[in-house]
Amino acid sequence: MELKRPYLLFLGDVPDALAAKTAIGIVDWRKDWCVGQMRLPGCNADTGLPDMGLRQAIAAGAKTLIIGVVNAGGVLPDHWLDSIVAALDAGLDVASGLHLRLEDIPAIAEAAKRNGRHLHNVRHSDQTFKTGQGTKREGLRLLTVGTDCSVGKKYTSLALEKGMREAGLDANFQATGQTGIFISGRGVSIDAVVADFISGAAEWVSPATEPDIWQIVEGQGSLFHPSFAGVSLGLLHGSQPDAFVVCHETTRTHMRNVKHPLPSIQQVIDLTIACGQLTNPDIRCVGIAVNTQALDEATAVSTMAEIEKAHDLPTVDPIRTGVAPIVARLQQEFDL
């Protein structure tokens, strides 16, 4: 799935920034890929990009309208259809991370057909995947894993890509979720792949490369989450990581949307190594990324220091402190 750039980000009339987190995530990491935002009356979200109509956006070079919102059920409100059809008629492709398929809406399908435009449903890959083989392949890979879902694996992966490049390493982010695909321009939404092909899809998204190239694979779910452990395990086996970083949110006591207690960081390290050795016997942990958003500065600093001391691993908050200590540990471990 390859998306044409630059993007025009469609926010509709969503009520708040959380509902536009896909668009905001794109701007956080790929602002230079975007020309502006398109909002309907009543929209309370703002990416900080210029507001644009279709004519202005196309004049600025826009190629794809990104539906940059999330909502319960992944539905597309009827009152947004006119704007999306107008974008297709104006010559833009349209991409969505919602659960529904754009072509299942007759007005959108007809507009795409008559204008020869592409519809991208990034949760639904058009790629045919093989089952995973587990055969060692060239290149180096780092996977972000979590004590839970939604703890910052995507942001940590992107921060590592940036930090590693700044350190002179050849590093590339490999997207495995819908927002990540918008940010990278390619990838596969691993949670929408048929179970037998998850590890094969992970192999596809992180293929053989030159020996000194690092692929930073965006993690999903958690090996301890009863809802998503299957996806996490398939991604671990298929991505065959040489290194991994554990992502953790400090204030949680239970995993999201279930009653299971949060595992410890050490439990995640141990189980990731035990399971990951099936396809890479040399897998190792190189750091811990802590989401300290809910903590004040002093508490965040002391919490990270305690975690670092307990595990003897560089511990950072990618947003608050950056990831340089983890990059340095990676260089040390792999003699880079």
mmCIF file of all heavy atoms in Angstrom, residues 14-43:
data_model
loop_
_atom_site.group_PDB
_atom_site.id
_atom_site.type_symbol
_atom_site.label_atom_id
_atom_site.label_comp_id
_atom_site.label_asym_id
_atom_site.label_seq_id
_atom_site.Cartn_x
_atom_site.Cartn_y
_atom_site.Cartn_z
ATOM 1 N N VAL A 14 -15.168 16.695 14.131
ATOM 2 C CA VAL A 14 -14.943 15.924 15.354
ATOM 3 C C VAL A 14 -14.944 16.841 16.576
ATOM 4 O O VAL A 14 -14.586 18.020 16.484
ATOM 5 C CB VAL A 14 -13.625 15.130 15.276
ATOM 6 C CG1 VAL A 14 -13.682 14.092 14.158
ATOM 7 C CG2 VAL A 14 -12.426 16.048 15.087
ATOM 8 N N PRO A 15 -15.315 16.313 17.739
ATOM 9 C CA PRO A 15 -15.514 17.163 18.918
ATOM 10 C C PRO A 15 -14.251 17.563 19.664
ATOM 11 O O PRO A 15 -14.262 18.534 20.417
ATOM 12 C CB PRO A 15 -16.407 16.300 19.817
ATOM 13 C CG PRO A 15 -16.054 14.895 19.439
ATOM 14 C CD PRO A 15 -15.791 14.927 17.962
ATOM 15 N N ASP A 16 -13.148 16.797 19.483
ATOM 16 C CA ASP A 16 -11.951 17.103 20.272
ATOM 17 C C ASP A 16 -10.710 16.526 19.600
ATOM 18 O O ASP A 16 -10.795 15.816 18.583
ATOM 19 C CB ASP A 16 -12.081 16.554 21.698
ATOM 20 C CG ASP A 16 -12.456 15.081 21.735
ATOM 21 O OD1 ASP A 16 -11.984 14.312 20.872
ATOM 22 O OD2 ASP A 16 -13.237 14.686 22.624
ATOM 23 N N ALA A 17 -9.561 16.835 20.184
ATOM 24 C CA ALA A 17 -8.286 16.404 19.603
ATOM 25 C C ALA A 17 -8.131 14.889 19.608
ATOM 26 O O ALA A 17 -7.541 14.320 18.676
ATOM 27 C CB ALA A 17 -7.136 17.057 20.367
ATOM 28 N N LEU A 18 -8.651 14.202 20.639
ATOM 29 C CA LEU A 18 -8.527 12.754 20.703
ATOM 30 C C LEU A 18 -9.171 12.093 19.488
ATOM 31 O O LEU A 18 -8.656 11.107 18.960
ATOM 32 C CB LEU A 18 -9.152 12.230 21.997
ATOM 33 C CG LEU A 18 -9.017 10.727 22.245
ATOM 34 C CD1 LEU A 18 -7.550 10.329 22.313
ATOM 35 C CD2 LEU A 18 -9.743 10.329 23.526
ATOM 36 N N ALA A 19 -10.289 12.647 19.038
ATOM 37 C CA ALA A 19 -10.981 12.083 17.877
ATOM 38 C C ALA A 19 -10.205 12.304 16.582
ATOM 39 O O ALA A 19 -10.478 11.658 15.574
ATOM 40 C CB ALA A 19 -12.381 12.685 17.759
ATOM 41 N N ALA A 20 -9.240 13.208 16.603
ATOM 42 C CA ALA A 20 -8.417 13.490 15.423
ATOM 43 C C ALA A 20 -6.984 13.024 15.629
ATOM 44 O O ALA A 20 -6.051 13.545 15.000
ATOM 45 C CB ALA A 20 -8.444 14.981 15.103
ATOM 46 N N LYS A 21 -6.776 12.018 16.486
ATOM 47 C CA LYS A 21 -5.413 11.639 16.846
ATOM 48 C C LYS A 21 -4.632 11.089 15.660
ATOM 49 O O LYS A 21 -3.398 11.199 15.638
ATOM 50 C CB LYS A 21 -5.417 10.636 18.001
ATOM 51 C CG LYS A 21 -5.957 9.263 17.674
ATOM 52 C CD LYS A 21 -5.806 8.331 18.877
ATOM 53 C CE LYS A 21 -6.211 6.906 18.542
ATOM 54 N NZ LYS A 21 -6.018 5.990 19.689
ATOM 55 N N THR A 22 -5.309 10.515 14.683
ATOM 56 C CA THR A 22 -4.591 10.045 13.492
ATOM 57 C C THR A 22 -3.960 11.215 12.755
ATOM 58 O O THR A 22 -2.768 11.197 12.429
ATOM 59 C CB THR A 22 -5.545 9.273 12.564
ATOM 60 O OG1 THR A 22 -5.983 8.082 13.218
ATOM 61 C CG2 THR A 22 -4.853 8.900 11.253
ATOM 62 N N ALA A 23 -4.747 12.251 12.492
ATOM 63 C CA ALA A 23 -4.224 13.434 11.799
ATOM 64 C C ALA A 23 -3.134 14.110 12.621
ATOM 65 O O ALA A 23 -2.096 14.523 12.081
ATOM 66 C CB ALA A 23 -5.358 14.416 11.515
ATOM 67 N N ILE A 24 -3.347 14.213 13.919
ATOM 68 C CA ILE A 24 -2.358 14.872 14.777
ATOM 69 C C ILE A 24 -1.063 14.074 14.815
ATOM 70 O O ILE A 24 0.042 14.641 14.799
ATOM 71 C CB ILE A 24 -2.944 15.082 16.187
ATOM 72 C CG1 ILE A 24 -4.065 16.128 16.123
ATOM 73 C CG2 ILE A 24 -1.863 15.514 17.176
ATOM 74 C CD1 ILE A 24 -4.877 16.249 17.394
ATOM 75 N N GLY A 25 -1.163 12.752 14.826
ATOM 76 C CA GLY A 25 0.029 11.912 14.792
ATOM 77 C C GLY A 25 0.818 12.095 13.507
ATOM 78 O O GLY A 25 2.055 12.124 13.512
ATOM 79 N N ILE A 26 0.109 12.224 12.393
ATOM 80 C CA ILE A 26 0.790 12.461 11.113
ATOM 81 C C ILE A 26 1.559 13.772 11.169
ATOM 82 O O ILE A 26 2.722 13.859 10.746
ATOM 83 C CB ILE A 26 -0.229 12.479 9.952
ATOM 84 C CG1 ILE A 26 -0.887 11.104 9.794
ATOM 85 C CG2 ILE A 26 0.455 12.891 8.645
ATOM 86 C CD1 ILE A 26 -2.068 11.100 8.842
ATOM 87 N N VAL A 27 0.926 14.815 11.696
ATOM 88 C CA VAL A 27 1.573 16.127 11.765
ATOM 89 C C VAL A 27 2.766 16.095 12.720
ATOM 90 O O VAL A 27 3.807 16.713 12.459
ATOM 91 C CB VAL A 27 0.561 17.208 12.188
ATOM 92 C CG1 VAL A 27 1.253 18.547 12.423
ATOM 93 C CG2 VAL A 27 -0.516 17.360 11.112
ATOM 94 N N ASP A 28 2.637 15.353 13.811
ATOM 95 C CA ASP A 28 3.742 15.259 14.774
ATOM 96 C C ASP A 28 5.017 14.733 14.122
ATOM 97 O O ASP A 28 6.124 15.165 14.460
ATOM 98 C CB ASP A 28 3.358 14.338 15.933
ATOM 99 C CG ASP A 28 2.452 15.007 16.954
ATOM 100 O OD1 ASP A 28 2.316 16.247 16.901
ATOM 101 O OD2 ASP A 28 1.880 14.285 17.798
ATOM 102 N N TRP A 29 4.858 13.771 13.201
ATOM 103 C CA TRP A 29 6.032 13.080 12.676
ATOM 104 C C TRP A 29 6.311 13.333 11.201
ATOM 105 O O TRP A 29 7.444 13.111 10.745
ATOM 106 C CB TRP A 29 5.890 11.582 12.914
ATOM 107 C CG TRP A 29 5.923 11.250 14.361
ATOM 108 C CD1 TRP A 29 4.864 10.960 15.169
ATOM 109 C CD2 TRP A 29 7.083 11.235 15.197
ATOM 110 N NE1 TRP A 29 5.288 10.751 16.451
ATOM 111 C CE2 TRP A 29 6.650 10.901 16.503
ATOM 112 C CE3 TRP A 29 8.440 11.450 14.964
ATOM 113 C CZ2 TRP A 29 7.531 10.794 17.566
ATOM 114 C CZ3 TRP A 29 9.319 11.333 16.033
ATOM 115 C CH2 TRP A 29 8.857 11.013 17.310
ATOM 116 N N ARG A 30 5.311 13.757 10.440
ATOM 117 C CA ARG A 30 5.514 13.945 9.005
ATOM 118 C C ARG A 30 4.844 15.241 8.532
ATOM 119 O O ARG A 30 4.156 15.275 7.516
ATOM 120 C CB ARG A 30 4.949 12.753 8.224
ATOM 121 C CG ARG A 30 5.633 11.417 8.496
ATOM 122 C CD ARG A 30 7.053 11.378 7.962
ATOM 123 N NE ARG A 30 7.623 10.041 8.058
ATOM 124 C CZ ARG A 30 8.433 9.618 9.009
ATOM 125 N NH1 ARG A 30 8.769 10.439 10.010
ATOM 126 N NH2 ARG A 30 8.917 8.386 9.005
ATOM 127 N N LYS A 31 5.084 16.314 9.263
ATOM 128 C CA LYS A 31 4.456 17.586 8.939
ATOM 129 C C LYS A 31 4.791 18.033 7.523
ATOM 130 O O LYS A 31 3.963 18.619 6.818
ATOM 131 C CB LYS A 31 4.892 18.653 9.945
ATOM 132 C CG LYS A 31 4.162 19.979 9.803
ATOM 133 C CD LYS A 31 4.562 20.942 10.909
ATOM 134 C CE LYS A 31 3.808 22.262 10.789
ATOM 135 N NZ LYS A 31 4.170 23.193 11.896
ATOM 136 N N ASP A 32 5.997 17.712 7.085
ATOM 137 C CA ASP A 32 6.421 18.136 5.746
ATOM 138 C C ASP A 32 5.708 17.368 4.637
ATOM 139 O O ASP A 32 5.830 17.727 3.467
ATOM 140 C CB ASP A 32 7.940 17.998 5.596
ATOM 141 C CG ASP A 32 8.429 16.582 5.866
ATOM 142 O OD1 ASP A 32 7.854 15.903 6.735
ATOM 143 O OD2 ASP A 32 9.393 16.157 5.205
ATOM 144 N N TRP A 33 4.977 16.328 4.982
ATOM 145 C CA TRP A 33 4.189 15.591 3.990
ATOM 146 C C TRP A 33 2.789 16.178 3.824
ATOM 147 O O TRP A 33 2.011 15.686 3.004
ATOM 148 C CB TRP A 33 4.049 14.130 4.406
ATOM 149 C CG TRP A 33 5.310 13.323 4.293
ATOM 150 C CD1 TRP A 33 6.570 13.772 3.989
ATOM 151 C CD2 TRP A 33 5.428 11.904 4.484
ATOM 152 N NE1 TRP A 33 7.459 12.741 3.988
ATOM 153 C CE2 TRP A 33 6.793 11.578 4.294
ATOM 154 C CE3 TRP A 33 4.530 10.907 4.800
ATOM 155 C CZ2 TRP A 33 7.270 10.276 4.407
ATOM 156 C CZ3 TRP A 33 5.004 9.610 4.923
ATOM 157 C CH2 TRP A 33 6.354 9.296 4.721
ATOM 158 N N CYS A 34 2.440 17.181 4.598
ATOM 159 C CA CYS A 34 1.073 17.701 4.644
ATOM 160 C C CYS A 34 1.030 19.142 4.141
ATOM 161 O O CYS A 34 1.944 19.935 4.423
ATOM 162 C CB CYS A 34 0.533 17.658 6.072
ATOM 163 S SG CYS A 34 0.665 16.041 6.875
ATOM 164 N N VAL A 35 -0.040 19.462 3.416
ATOM 165 C CA VAL A 35 -0.202 20.848 2.949
ATOM 166 C C VAL A 35 -1.187 21.625 3.812
ATOM 167 O O VAL A 35 -1.122 22.860 3.885
ATOM 168 C CB VAL A 35 -0.641 20.903 1.472
ATOM 169 C CG1 VAL A 35 0.395 20.256 0.583
ATOM 170 C CG2 VAL A 35 -2.013 20.246 1.273
ATOM 171 N N GLY A 36 -2.124 20.938 4.466
ATOM 172 C CA GLY A 36 -3.115 21.646 5.266
ATOM 173 C C GLY A 36 -4.162 20.710 5.827
ATOM 174 O O GLY A 36 -4.084 19.490 5.666
ATOM 175 N N GLN A 37 -5.137 21.295 6.498
ATOM 176 C CA GLN A 37 -6.252 20.539 7.057
ATOM 177 C C GLN A 37 -7.559 21.066 6.493
ATOM 178 O O GLN A 37 -7.674 22.238 6.136
ATOM 179 C CB GLN A 37 -6.262 20.632 8.582
ATOM 180 C CG GLN A 37 -6.497 22.045 9.124
ATOM 181 C CD GLN A 37 -6.415 22.123 10.640
ATOM 182 O OE1 GLN A 37 -5.986 21.190 11.309
ATOM 183 N NE2 GLN A 37 -6.844 23.252 11.199
ATOM 184 N N MET A 38 -8.543 20.168 6.424
ATOM 185 C CA MET A 38 -9.869 20.525 5.930
ATOM 186 C C MET A 38 -10.862 20.204 7.038
ATOM 187 O O MET A 38 -10.982 19.054 7.464
ATOM 188 C CB MET A 38 -10.188 19.733 4.667
ATOM 189 C CG MET A 38 -11.525 20.032 4.042
ATOM 190 S SD MET A 38 -11.739 19.070 2.505
ATOM 191 C CE MET A 38 -13.417 19.533 2.069
ATOM 192 N N ARG A 39 -11.563 21.238 7.530
ATOM 193 C CA ARG A 39 -12.479 21.059 8.650
ATOM 194 C C ARG A 39 -13.876 21.536 8.276
ATOM 195 O O ARG A 39 -14.042 22.498 7.520
ATOM 196 C CB ARG A 39 -11.984 21.826 9.877
ATOM 197 C CG ARG A 39 -10.627 21.381 10.374
ATOM 198 C CD ARG A 39 -10.261 22.011 11.707
ATOM 199 N NE ARG A 39 -9.979 23.444 11.601
ATOM 200 C CZ ARG A 39 -9.708 24.224 12.637
ATOM 201 N NH1 ARG A 39 -9.693 23.708 13.865
ATOM 202 N NH2 ARG A 39 -9.451 25.508 12.468
ATOM 203 N N LEU A 40 -14.868 20.866 8.846
ATOM 204 C CA LEU A 40 -16.257 21.257 8.663
ATOM 205 C C LEU A 40 -16.680 22.143 9.840
ATOM 206 O O LEU A 40 -16.053 22.126 10.899
ATOM 207 C CB LEU A 40 -17.154 20.015 8.583
ATOM 208 C CG LEU A 40 -16.860 19.043 7.434
ATOM 209 C CD1 LEU A 40 -17.831 17.864 7.494
ATOM 210 C CD2 LEU A 40 -16.947 19.747 6.078
ATOM 211 N N PRO A 41 -17.751 22.921 9.691
ATOM 212 C CA PRO A 41 -18.229 23.754 10.801
ATOM 213 C C PRO A 41 -18.476 22.915 12.050
ATOM 214 O O PRO A 41 -19.028 21.815 11.975
ATOM 215 C CB PRO A 41 -19.535 24.346 10.263
ATOM 216 C CG PRO A 41 -19.329 24.386 8.771
ATOM 217 C CD PRO A 41 -18.540 23.147 8.446
ATOM 218 N N GLY A 42 -18.045 23.433 13.191
ATOM 219 C CA GLY A 42 -18.234 22.728 14.454
ATOM 220 C C GLY A 42 -17.064 21.862 14.867
ATOM 221 O O GLY A 42 -17.080 21.274 15.952
ATOM 222 N N CYS A 43 -16.032 21.764 14.045
ATOM 223 C CA CYS A 43 -14.868 20.950 14.387
ATOM 224 C C CYS A 43 -14.093 21.603 15.532
ATOM 225 O O CYS A 43 -13.738 22.786 15.466
ATOM 226 C CB CYS A 43 -13.957 20.787 13.167
ATOM 227 S SG CYS A 43 -12.520 19.742 13.485
#
